[in-house]
């Protein structure tokens, strides 16, 4: 008798599992692949792809290392766990997180804002990263099928964080270079109407301040306009301020928290701030994010649902120690800002000397570069063609504006804080050669 | 229906004009009121009750700030929160499981500083051997974390080194040479995240999972809150010692089908929570057959694997699948490193699947609940210290067994019987003799007395969806021996009070 080979039944997965709403098939992530396959190394692979598509902060890493070496008791918890109050532990079990950690985070956030805003530790809900914080807020503020309004260009990861598992839509608030990509009341209204025309309920506006990918802070007057808009429409405002500590000049950053405090928290219950230590402190591996909400219900609900995205007590203890050391945090914030500013100036100068202009920026780990003069065609396809050339010929991974949903082709986000100064020079050199080649080619072509 | 009769009167013209106008008006008015209230309740939930007076350490929002925020309301009404959030808030406020957790958190017992506080018996966490891990960290911590440098962005589903360490650790925990493949693992910040991820991957909004009851009180939230999956209960009864029967499974599946519910999988917990039952090899094979027949997934929640002891053998799904070539695609297993290492605060979960498509999706979803780098470094170091691990497993097991024996024996002395258990951090006690009335109401009344009078937080069977009233789950793995005496004394007083009433 022959062997019967039973055809296995193919068991199905969910729609979410098989969909590509996670957006990870976009060029933003494809560029990473090119880098993974051939990563640049100063010594061992000097002709590899230089990673300029990852917004990671390595410029002040040495300060962290030094701190941890000098304060090794932080890593072993030192006084931490054993003497941690029994009440603190009890609350920890109910997902409040350690009070010492929340207090340290709150005070760090206050320091970054030059003490111009106060943060209550009990309004902080902790999550495993800002990615989780944004997703959790979306679950809480919107139903599947509802929409959040997000100004373009925006961080490509939002497509995944805000939409994938939540079933919520993103309706873009279109911004363009005519006014340096600032958000206008007309654009806000336009986006709201667009959602209405699709029979979609708008639940909130989500801004990133300073902006990713623009690398620029939102002006006070614009923030006030946005607040007025969300109040009028009775919707929420989420302000993702994860780059707040990376603004080169502290006086140029205005947090929505300051505006609310100045008006005695009127209408504050619709405002929620997201923060993380991944960018400012260069600790992406720690997975530390927070939701700060002025809305009691959102706080208690987010806290209850933080069970899905937790931070270990050990990490909380370590950070509580570090962040409550005011001398260290003050030194770190100051030094980090300075180093980022220098980096920024270096890249802007380097690009300008090759005739490439960038949007005037004042914060973040990247600059918003205008390569539209180099496009063959001023279209999305033209932009992707140029991007392909940059990846494969120039061997730089930068992020095309279309992956950030920018309505104008030719803009690119270039990260400068995740490499050494030498590497940055190499990158600028490569860009110079590339631009020269194009210009010569155009001249030659033109003369025929 | 009584309404029809007078309306018939209307039709037949008997005094009908009067009733004919009054009744429809009354109905109309009633329905208006009813729907208005429902809508009101749905859209704008009543303002939260004023925060309770803060104890030493206020877990609630600062009163002054709260008052500022609660009073000046925007003319359009309070800012909307999603249906999901409203439901979570309501459950948090009403459900005994969460109410108990909150009370225990706000007024925690301490032998010296708060001897009249609430003793926590509602969390299935094990801290019995936490001291061993803390000692290890104290001696080795610095090098453990710094030795590898702080990690930049890394694969967010866990360092390969940690996965390898886990692959070596789990067979030690299970005391069997089972093979685990690191590439089939996704590490998450807690086992709850692993369940959440699987819920999103295996089923769509509104689909269902079959879950034997009584089940973990947190399942309702874990499975439903974000992914919106329904639980179809498969009741287990005391007459069967709360063991799972395939007949019951089949019946539940068919009834769900009749109701139009799409069942996408079954979630088994082994050892079970809250009862502590082990599934034997034969039953596991039957479950696999059942899943194959219905073409659904199996999630095997083995987060208490290391606590299995007694005469019965713990059999993991992994063992079953070592033999079965087919059907691996439908099986997904969850472990909890925090449970196995007695460090609940570390929050480390392991999702183990044989389905490559699930793994691809799960790896992407792990970004939302990734493990902290220093925690991973630390775990790699601990798990690589095989001598420590071996000793730890032995001591932890002994302490678990001892605590279980002590607790169950002392309950017995009070006249409270528990089902025989082969694992878990809890016991399943029959408190029906202490009920003032036999039924869910009586059970909740007893739960309330235990929480607010005796000041012990235990989980009533109804929170676990047990169909028989009177059963309670007592978690004893965060207690010291002294605590146990205090707990028993408090129960004795309630018991005495109840007896004197009858």
């Amino acid at each position: 008798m022959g062997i019967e080979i039973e055809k296995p039944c193919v068991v199905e997965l969910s729609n979410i599992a098989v969909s590509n709403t996670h957006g990870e098939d976009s060029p933003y992530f494809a560029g990473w692949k090119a880098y993974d396959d051939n990563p640049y190394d100063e010594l061992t692979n000097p002709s590899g792809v230089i990673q300029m598509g990852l917004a990671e902060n390595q410029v002040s890493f040495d300060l962290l290392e030094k701190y941890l070496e000098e304060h090794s008791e932080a890593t072993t918890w030192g006084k931490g766990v054993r003497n941690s109050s029994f009440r603190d532990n009890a609350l920890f079990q109910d997902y409040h997180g350690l009070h010492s950690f929340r207090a340290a985070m709150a005070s760090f956030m206050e320091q970054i804002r030059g003490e111009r805003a106060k943060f209550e530790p009990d309004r902080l809900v902790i999550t495993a990263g800002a990615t989780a914080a944004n997703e959790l807020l979306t679950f809480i503020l919107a139903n599947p099928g509802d929409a959040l309004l997000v100004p373009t260009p925006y961080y490509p990861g939002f497509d995944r964080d805000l939409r994938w598992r939540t079933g919520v839509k993103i309706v873009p608030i279109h911004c363009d270079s005519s006014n340096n990509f600032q958000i206008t009341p007309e654009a806000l209204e336009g986006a709201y109407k667009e959602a209405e025309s699709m029979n979609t309920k708008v639940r909130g506006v989500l801004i990133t301040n300073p902006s990713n990918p623009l690398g620029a802070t939102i002006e006070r007057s614009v923030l006030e306009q946005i607040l007025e808009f969300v109040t009028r429409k009775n919707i929420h405002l989420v302000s993702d301020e994860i780059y707040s500590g990376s603004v080169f000049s502290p006086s140029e950053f205005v947090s929505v928290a300051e505006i609310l405090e100045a008006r005695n928290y009127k209408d504050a219950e619709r405002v929620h701030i997201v923060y993380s230590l991944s960018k400012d402190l260069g600790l992406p591996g720690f997975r530390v994010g927070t939701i700060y909400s002025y809305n009691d219900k959102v706080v208690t609900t987010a806290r209850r649902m933080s069970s899905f995205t937790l931070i270990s007590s050990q990490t909380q203890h370590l950070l509580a120690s570090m962040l409550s050391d005011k001398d260290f945090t003050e030194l770190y914030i100051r030094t980090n800002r300075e180093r980022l500013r220098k980096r920024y100036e270096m890249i802007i100068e380097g690009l300008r000397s090759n005739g490439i202009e960038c949007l005037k920026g004042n914060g973040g780990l990247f600059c918003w570069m205008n390569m539209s003069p180099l496009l063959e065609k001023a279209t999305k396809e033209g932009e992707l063609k140029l991007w392909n050339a940059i990846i494969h010929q120039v061997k730089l991974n930068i992020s095309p504006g279309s992956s950030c949903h920018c309505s104008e082709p030719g803009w690119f986000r270039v990260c400068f804080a995740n490499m050494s100064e030498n590497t940055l020079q190499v990158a600028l050199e490569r860009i110079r050669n590339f631009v020269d080649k194009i210009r010569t080619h155009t001249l030659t072509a033109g003369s025929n | 229906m009584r309404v029809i009769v007078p309306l018939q009167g209307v039709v037949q013209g008997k005094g009908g004009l009067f009733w004919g106008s009054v009744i429809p008006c009354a109905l109309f008015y009633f329905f208006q009121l009813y729907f208005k209230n429902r809508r009101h309740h749905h859209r704008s939930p009543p303002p939260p009750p004023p925060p309770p007076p803060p104890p030493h350490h206020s877990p609630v929002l600062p009163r002054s700030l709260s008052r500022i925020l609660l009073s000046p309301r925007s003319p359009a009404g309070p800012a909307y929160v999603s249906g999901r959030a409203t439901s979570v808030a309501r459950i948090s406020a009403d459900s005994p499981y969460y109410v108990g957790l909150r009370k225990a958190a706000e007024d925690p017992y301490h032998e010296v500083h708060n001897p009249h506080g609430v003793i926590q018996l509602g969390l299935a966490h094990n801290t019995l051997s936490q001291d061993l891990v803390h000692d290890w960290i104290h001696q080795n911590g610095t090098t453990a974390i710094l030795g590898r440098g702080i990690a930049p962005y890394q694969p967010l589903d866990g360092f390969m080194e940690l996965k390898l360490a886990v692959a070596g650790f789990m067979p030690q925990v299970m005391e069997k040479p089972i093979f685990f493949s690191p590439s089939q693992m996704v590490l998450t910040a807690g086992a709850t995240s692993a369940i959440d991820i699987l819920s999103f991957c295996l089923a769509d909004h509104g689909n269902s999972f079959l879950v034997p009851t009584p089940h973990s009180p947190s399942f309702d939230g874990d499975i439903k809150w974000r992914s919106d999956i329904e639980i179809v209960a498969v009741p287990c009864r005391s007459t069967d010692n709360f063991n799972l029967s395939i007949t019951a499974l089949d019946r539940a599946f068919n009834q769900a089908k009749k109701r139009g519910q799409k069942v996408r999988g079954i979630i088994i917990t082994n050892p079970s929570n809250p009862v502590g039952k082990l599934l034997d090899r034969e039953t596991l094979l039957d479950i696999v057959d059942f899943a194959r027949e219905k073409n659904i997934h199996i999630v095997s929640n083995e987060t208490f694997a290391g606590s299995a002891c007694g005469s019965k053998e713990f059999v993991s799904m992994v063992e079953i699948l070592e033999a079965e070539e087919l059907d691996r695609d439908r099986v997904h297993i969850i472990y909890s490193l925090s449970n196995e290492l007695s460090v609940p605060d570390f929050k480390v979960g392991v999702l183990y699947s044989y389905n490559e498509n699930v793994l691809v999706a799960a790896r992407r979803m792990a970004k939302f609940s990734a493990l902290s780098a220093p925690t991973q470094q630390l775990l790699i170091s601990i798990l690589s210290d095989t001598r420590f691990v071996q000793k730890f497993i032995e001591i932890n097991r002994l302490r678990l067994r001892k605590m279980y024996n002590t607790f169950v024996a002392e309950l017995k002395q009070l006249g409270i019987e528990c089902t025989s258990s082969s694992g878990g951090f809890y016991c399943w006690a029959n408190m029906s003799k202490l009920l003032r009335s036999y039924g869910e109401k009586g059970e909740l009344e007893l739960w309330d007395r235990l929480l607010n009078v005796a000041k012990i937080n235990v989980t009533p069977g109804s929170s676990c969806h047990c169909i028989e009233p009177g059963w309670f789950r007592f978690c004893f793995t965060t207690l010291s021996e002294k605590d146990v005496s205090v707990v028993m004394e408090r129960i004795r007083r309630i018991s005495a009070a109840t007896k004197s009433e009858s």
Side-chain angles (χ1 to χ4, degrees):
Chain A
M1 196 159 125
I3 302 170
E4 257 185 50
I5 301 178
E6 240 183 81
K7 204 163 140 225
C9 247
V10 176
V11 65
E12 280 178 23
L13 300 192
S14 68
N15 292 331
I16 288 177
V18 301
S19 87
N20 57 7
T21 320
H22 50 74
E24 293 188 7
D25 300 328
S26 91
Y28 179 74
F29 298 99
W32 287 28
K33 187 169 182 310
Y35 166 76
D36 285 336
D37 291 342
N38 181 18
Y40 171 85
D41 183 283
E42 217 166 322
L43 298 168
T44 61
N45 190 17
S47 60
V49 176
I50 299 180
Q51 174 65 289
M52 301 186 93
L54 177 58
E56 191 179 283
N57 182 4
Q58 289 178 15
V59 304
S60 309
F61 192 63
D62 55 317
L63 299 174
L64 285 170
E65 258 182 339
K66 185 156 173 277
Y67 178 86
L68 287 168
E69 271 164 29
E70 290 172 3
H71 296 86
S72 58
E73 79 281 2
T75 59
T76 58
W77 296 335
K79 301 192 199 133
V81 146
R82 288 186 202 251
N83 297 357
S84 176
S85 94
F86 71 98
R87 289 190 189 278
D88 220 16
N89 277 329
L91 287 170
F92 181 87
Q93 299 310 335
D94 199 21
Y95 304 107
H96 287 244
L98 292 176
H99 181 83
S100 55
F101 172 61
R102 283 180 286 118
M105 277 294 272
S107 100
F108 186 65
M109 287 166 73
E110 286 170 358
Q111 253 187 309
I112 286 175
R113 289 158 185 73
E115 315 291 337
R116 295 186 297 271
K118 186 116 186 52
F119 291 100
E120 305 277 348
D122 286 334
R123 289 196 172 278
L124 269 172
V125 176
I126 55 185
T127 60
T131 304
N134 280 322
E135 193 198 37
L136 186 54
L137 266 177
T138 308
F139 272 119
I140 292 174
L141 304 178
N143 299 313
D146 291 346
L148 290 178
L149 305 182
V150 184
T152 64
Y154 61 75
Y155 161 57
F158 277 166
D159 286 329
R160 172 197 62 215
D161 301 349
L162 308 179
R163 299 182 321 158
W164 189 27
R165 301 193 299 181
T166 59
V168 170
K169 303 184 188 148
I170 294 179
V171 173
I173 300 169
H174 294 288
C175 303
D176 58 58
S177 58
S178 63
N179 69 342
N180 289 324
F181 294 95
Q182 287 190 78
I183 303 164
T184 64
E186 295 74 37
L188 284 166
E189 282 290 348
Y192 194 89
K193 287 207 173 69
E194 189 188 328
E196 273 186 332
S197 72
M198 298 188 303
N199 263 329
T200 300
K201 204 111 188 55
V202 174
R203 294 298 181 194
V205 172
L206 190 145
I207 57 175
T208 308
N209 181 22
S211 155
N212 175 8
L214 301 178
T217 56
I218 300 182
E219 289 176 19
R220 179 184 292 268
S221 56
V222 177
L223 284 174
E224 282 171 350
Q225 282 169 342
I226 298 173
L227 267 171
E228 189 274 330
F229 174 79
V230 300
T231 308
R232 198 166 19 95
K233 301 289 189 194
N234 193 21
I235 58 180
H236 293 271
L237 174 62
V238 176
S239 181
D240 184 343
E241 301 186 353
I242 75 170
Y243 294 101
S244 48
S246 303
V247 179
F248 313 143
S249 166
S251 56
E252 290 181 25
F253 172 62
V254 178
S255 164
V256 71
E258 297 172 47
I259 300 184
L260 291 172
E261 189 160 310
R263 52 172 82 166
N264 221 18
Y265 302 108
K266 185 168 175 296
D267 294 319
E269 59 168 22
R270 61 185 71 261
V271 180
H272 325 278
I273 297 175
V274 169
Y275 188 59
S276 152
L277 295 179
S278 302
K279 309 295 182 184
D280 290 344
L281 222 51
L283 294 173
F286 274 49
R287 311 310 305 150
V288 175
T290 67
I291 296 173
Y292 187 89
S293 176
Y294 297 91
N295 183 315
D296 297 7
K297 194 168 183 182
V298 172
V299 172
T300 44
T301 309
R303 186 188 292 146
R304 180 57 63 217
M305 291 174 85
S306 68
S307 56
F308 294 109
T309 174
L310 300 162
I311 305 181
S312 76
S313 64
Q314 183 235 350
T315 302
Q316 294 190 41
H317 277 294
L318 201 162
L319 289 169
S321 269
M322 190 159 74
L323 294 180
S324 50
D325 184 338
K326 291 284 180 105
D327 291 333
F328 168 73
T329 51
E330 215 230 287
L331 169 72
Y332 183 91
I333 293 173
R334 201 176 359 107
T335 315
N336 184 47
R337 282 191 172 132
E338 200 35 52
R339 290 181 184 178
L340 285 174
R341 192 182 53 76
K342 268 177 65 187
R343 246 348 141 80
Y344 172 76
E345 282 168 4
M346 189 176 145
I347 194 176
I348 294 297
E349 226 354 89
L351 290 172
R352 184 170 289 145
S353 65
N354 293 317
I356 300 178
E357 288 299 324
C358 295
L359 181 75
K360 176 125 180 47
N362 61 354
L365 309 175
F366 31 71
C367 58
W368 189 231
M369 180 173 72
N370 185 4
M371 282 201 147
S372 53
L374 297 178
L375 291 184
E376 270 180 31
K377 283 211 190 89
T379 59
K380 182 176 167 185
E381 289 68 35
E383 177 187 285
L384 288 174
K385 191 159 178 228
L386 177 60
W387 172 72
N388 249 305
I390 296 176
I391 294 247
H392 294 111
Q393 292 173 32
V394 190
K395 303 268 183 56
L396 297 180
N397 176 32
I398 60 179
S399 311
S402 49
S403 65
C404 304
H405 302 275
C406 184
S407 44
E408 287 175 34
W411 292 85
F412 290 80
R413 186 190 78 168
V414 185
C415 300
F416 53 70
N418 61 315
M419 62 192 71
S420 68
E421 276 191 19
N422 286 344
T423 310
L424 186 52
Q425 293 293 12
V426 172
L428 288 169
E429 186 61 34
R430 290 186 188 180
I431 292 180
R432 185 202 325 284
N433 294 337
F434 177 67
V435 171
D436 281 347
K437 221 172 29 177
I438 293 193
R439 294 230 168 92
T440 335
H441 177 86
T442 325
L443 282 173
T444 331
S447 62
N448 281 358
Chain B
M1 273 172 58
R2 282 188 357 224
V3 168
I4 296 175
V5 176
L7 284 178
Q8 269 184 334
V10 170
V11 170
Q12 290 160 2
K14 288 186 197 165
L17 207 58
F18 176 69
W19 290 116
S21 14
V22 165
I23 286 169
C25 275
L27 276 177
F28 180 71
Y29 181 71
F30 165 73
F31 279 124
Q32 273 253 297
L33 204 62
Y34 173 67
F35 282 120
K36 185 170 166 209
N37 280 340
R38 271 194 69 184
R39 254 204 321 267
H40 178 81
H41 184 76
H42 208 54
R43 239 191 250 141
S44 45
H56 291 286
H57 189 104
S58 173
V60 300
L61 300 150
R63 230 183 178 152
S64 53
L65 201 53
S66 293
R67 259 206 283 260
I68 292 172
L69 296 174
L70 288 178
S71 28
R73 276 211 202 288
S74 120
Y80 178 88
V81 289
S82 68
R84 195 183 259 123
T86 305
S87 153
V88 171
R90 192 186 63 239
I91 292 171
S92 278
D94 299 339
S95 143
Y97 177 62
Y98 295 106
V99 168
L101 280 185
R102 195 166 56 244
K103 291 236 159 138
E106 290 168 8
D107 182 20
Y109 169 80
H110 187 275
E111 199 188 332
V112 176
H113 302 299
N114 193 22
H116 300 293
V118 177
I119 302 184
Q120 176 68 286
L121 297 167
L123 274 177
H125 285 176
N126 174 18
T127 52
L128 295 179
S129 310
Q130 195 175 235
D131 58 316
L132 299 176
V133 177
H134 286 184
D135 283 337
W136 187 99
I137 293 174
H138 212 65
Q139 287 161 25
N140 304 285
T142 325
T143 41
I145 298 184
L146 289 183
R148 294 146 203 278
I150 310 286
Y153 280 108
Q154 290 259 5
L156 289 176
D157 63 324
F159 299 166
M160 184 44 86
E161 257 191 293
L162 181 52
K163 292 181 185 178
L164 283 162
V166 171
F169 174 66
M170 289 315 297
Q172 283 182 280
V173 163
M174 296 181 188
E175 295 183 325
K176 294 182 196 186
I178 304 181
F179 172 69
F180 285 94
S181 166
S183 60
Q184 286 174 235
M185 286 182 201
V186 172
L187 304 183
T188 60
T192 304
S193 314
I195 298 177
D196 184 48
I197 288 176
L198 283 173
S199 300
F200 276 112
C201 286
L202 307 180
D204 298 315
H205 290 309
N207 289 163
S208 313
F209 285 145
L210 292 170
V211 183
T213 59
H215 64 60
S216 160
S218 67
F219 263 10
D220 291 315
D222 296 349
I223 292 167
K224 194 180 162 86
W225 277 351
R226 304 209 305 182
S227 52
D228 231 356
I229 311 293
E230 297 292 331
I231 292 180
V232 172
V234 182
C236 303
R237 297 161 198 282
S238 57
T239 41
D240 291 329
N241 270 319
F242 294 101
N243 283 307
L244 175 64
S245 90
I246 300 295
T247 326
L249 205 55
D250 212 32
R251 192 182 316 129
F253 181 90
N254 292 331
Q255 285 173 346
K257 202 164 167 205
K258 278 205 196 101
R259 289 193 295 263
Q261 278 176 293
K262 187 151 191 237
V263 174
R264 300 298 291 268
I266 170 177
I267 305 183
I268 51 174
T269 304
N270 181 24
S272 70
N273 178 4
V275 187
K277 291 296 176 192
L278 286 175
L279 291 168
D280 60 28
R281 202 174 288 269
E282 205 185 299
T283 313
L284 288 171
L285 284 164
D286 285 341
I287 292 173
V288 174
D289 281 338
F290 174 81
R292 175 191 306 135
E293 192 194 308
K294 310 294 184 197
N295 195 20
I296 59 177
H297 291 273
I298 299 172
V299 174
S300 183
N301 176 17
E302 300 183 3
T303 52
F304 298 102
S307 68
C309 41
S311 51
K312 290 193 82 178
E313 186 203 2
F314 169 71
V315 180
S316 167
M317 259 299 175
V318 180
E319 288 178 69
I320 301 288
L321 293 173
E322 263 179 359
E324 297 268 314
E325 281 292 330
L326 304 166
D327 294 321
R328 286 185 178 179
D329 261 9
R330 63 178 81 256
V331 180
H332 324 279
I333 305 166
I334 303 176
Y335 296 106
S336 163
L337 271 190
S338 348
N339 280 359
E340 304 305 349
L341 285 173
S342 189
V343 278
D345 298 352
F346 271 43
K347 318 279 183 209
V348 187
V350 182
L351 193 166
Y352 192 74
S353 176
Y354 293 82
N355 187 317
E356 192 49 44
N357 293 325
V358 168
L359 287 170
V360 165
R363 281 175 202 130
R364 292 197 171 113
M365 292 187 188
K367 290 190 174 67
F368 295 103
S369 51
L371 278 170
S372 207
T375 306
Q376 295 195 59
Q377 321 276 32
L378 191 53
L379 284 168
I380 292 169
S381 299
I382 296 176
L383 296 180
S384 311
D385 188 345
T386 38
R387 249 194 2 197
F388 167 76
V389 167
Q390 207 41 58
K391 217 178 60 166
F392 174 89
I393 292 176
E394 277 169 35
I395 299 179
N396 186 39
R397 182 159 281 140
L398 281 170
R399 289 181 182 177
L400 277 171
R401 225 342 78 152
K402 183 159 177 249
M403 183 58 80
Y404 169 77
N405 288 336
T406 309
F407 202 87
V408 169
E410 298 219 13
L411 278 180
K412 193 165 180 183
Q413 283 196 349
L414 294 175
I416 297 169
E417 295 284 340
C418 298
T419 49
S420 72
S421 147
S422 314
F425 298 157
Y426 31 75
C427 59
W428 188 233
N430 187 352
M431 311 272 279
S432 49
K433 289 187 213 158
L434 295 178
L435 297 184
R436 284 188 179 140
S437 64
Y438 187 76
E440 187 177 328
K441 200 156 161 245
E443 181 186 284
L444 288 175
E445 195 274 328
L446 175 59
W447 164 77
D448 186 79
R449 256 187 294 151
L450 288 167
L451 181 61
N452 293 306
V453 178
K455 301 292 224 34
I456 59 175
N457 178 36
V458 294
T459 309
S462 49
S463 292
C464 305
H465 298 275
C466 181
I467 53 173
E468 297 170 33
W471 292 88
F472 283 76
R473 182 187 77 170
F474 288 74
C475 298
F476 45 72
T477 42
T478 50
L479 304 175
S480 69
E481 285 202 24
K482 264 200 211 157
D483 295 336
V484 176
S485 318
V486 179
V487 169
M488 294 305 157
E489 176 52 34
R490 293 184 182 189
I491 298 177
R492 196 196 57 73
R493 271 190 251 136
I494 291 281
S495 173
T498 315
K499 288 200 180 104
S500 68
E501 283 162 17
S502 52

